[in-house]
Amino acid sequence: MKNFSLYLFALLLCVALVPLAPKAFPPPEDPKTPELLHLLNSATGEVTALPLEDYVIGVLTAKCYPEEGEALKAMAVAIRSSARYCEVYRPVHRDAAVCDDPSCCAAFAGSGFSQKAVEAAAETAGLLLTYEGAPAAALTFDSGGAYTASSLSVYGVALPYLAGVENVTENRVTEKRWSERDFLSALNAPEGVGLRDLFLASDVSGRVCDAVFRGTDRRMSGEALAEALSLPSCFFTLEVQNGTVTARCEGAGHGVGMSRNGASLLAESGKTFREILAFYFPGTEVRHI
């Protein structure tokens, strides 16, 4: 009788604890639940969460990449990795990983995804570029320069896998001309200074990284200078002759990370997407996470 009472008590205790079991032992996450990315609408300030893979496809579509095959797969992995990096560390936006402003983050197409973008994302689904086990900021740009730029010279942050490598690219050259007056006006130069007072500093890749008007406290980054002059990249030189300023600019984009043009050329030479990523981001590895 005593043993029966103990059994009955144990049974009643188990029944009483059943409602608490899901709280004490939460069920495992559904492996089919998509990983989410927080996107800031730059016009409204609203932050929405969308599947990471939708973002990858949206960026590939918005950029209208001509590449297919291994180059497009490399781009898909790079976009996914950078987005995941931003979701974890929030380097730019406090409440969101990325925004929809192309001048700040990658351009994003919210609908009308291209078929080749969908295929590239599907064929690399779940693959991230990592450095020491953490997501890598796998930045990409259009083209330009015999060497890629370091993240330190452009953004002031030193990342070992973004120290700059010898580039593979076909440069697109842009030339622009101004009168001396219009050139200084475009830069909003301090009153009383001329071209002789403008000093440009370049990094080891040859890109303009700093501009100073000597004798003043006015300083501009290379990217700000290129933007003010409506140049597609910081990889440019200036020449002054007979009162005319000529800028000769090569390539397009910030120059940090993987050149999209270079990725296409490497793919055409037979390199796989893993080899392309290893070339532009030394020390990283592609992992399935």
Side-chain angles (χ1 to χ4, degrees), residues 157-212:
V157 178
L159 295 174
Y161 53 89
L162 293 178
V165 299
E166 187 172 357
N167 196 13
V168 179
T169 188
E170 293 177 350
N171 288 336
R172 183 178 69 197
V173 178
T174 302
E175 282 194 359
K176 294 193 67 174
R177 293 178 175 83
W178 305 262
S179 67
E180 181 174 348
R181 180 178 179 179
D182 289 344
F183 180 85
L184 294 172
S185 176
L187 298 184
N188 193 25
E191 188 175 352
V193 303
L195 282 174
R196 65 185 181 280
D197 301 309
L198 178 62
F199 175 76
L200 302 181
S202 300
D203 62 17
V204 293
S205 73
R207 291 171 173 81
V208 176
C209 60
D210 206 12
V212 179

Side-chain angles (χ1 to χ4, degrees), residues 206-219:
R207 291 171 173 81
V208 176
C209 60
D210 206 12
V212 179
F213 285 97
R214 285 176 286 201
T216 76
D217 58 358
R218 180 71 188 285
R219 179 183 294 270

Side-chain angles (χ1 to χ4, degrees), residues 118-281:
V118 172
E119 292 172 357
E123 291 173 7
T124 62
L127 295 181
L128 287 183
L129 193 68
T130 64
Y131 182 76
E132 295 184 347
L139 303 182
T140 65
F141 66 100
D142 187 4
S143 64
Y147 292 86
T148 62
S150 71
S151 59
L152 179 62
S153 66
V154 176
Y155 297 113
V157 178
L159 295 174
Y161 53 89
L162 293 178
V165 299
E166 187 172 357
N167 196 13
V168 179
T169 188
E170 293 177 350
N171 288 336
R172 183 178 69 197
V173 178
T174 302
E175 282 194 359
K176 294 193 67 174
R177 293 178 175 83
W178 305 262
S179 67
E180 181 174 348
R181 180 178 179 179
D182 289 344
F183 180 85
L184 294 172
S185 176
L187 298 184
N188 193 25
E191 188 175 352
V193 303
L195 282 174
R196 65 185 181 280
D197 301 309
L198 178 62
F199 175 76
L200 302 181
S202 300
D203 62 17
V204 293
S205 73
R207 291 171 173 81
V208 176
C209 60
D210 206 12
V212 179
F213 285 97
R214 285 176 286 201
T216 76
D217 58 358
R218 180 71 188 285
R219 179 183 294 270
M220 300 176 71
S221 69
E223 283 214 316
L225 183 65
E227 183 178 355
L229 297 174
S230 297
L231 295 174
S233 82
C234 300
F235 194 56
F236 64 88
T237 57
L238 296 177
E239 180 182 340
V240 183
Q241 190 172 12
N242 299 326
T244 299
V245 183
T246 301
R248 188 177 187 276
C249 181
E250 296 186 18
H254 48 66
V256 181
M258 180 168 62
S259 161
R260 294 190 288 270
N261 178 265
S264 290
L265 293 175
L266 288 173
E268 289 174 7
S269 71
K271 300 295 185 184
T272 67
F273 76 91
R274 293 175 183 271
E275 291 173 323
I276 295 170
L277 291 167
F279 176 85
Y280 279 108
F281 304 103

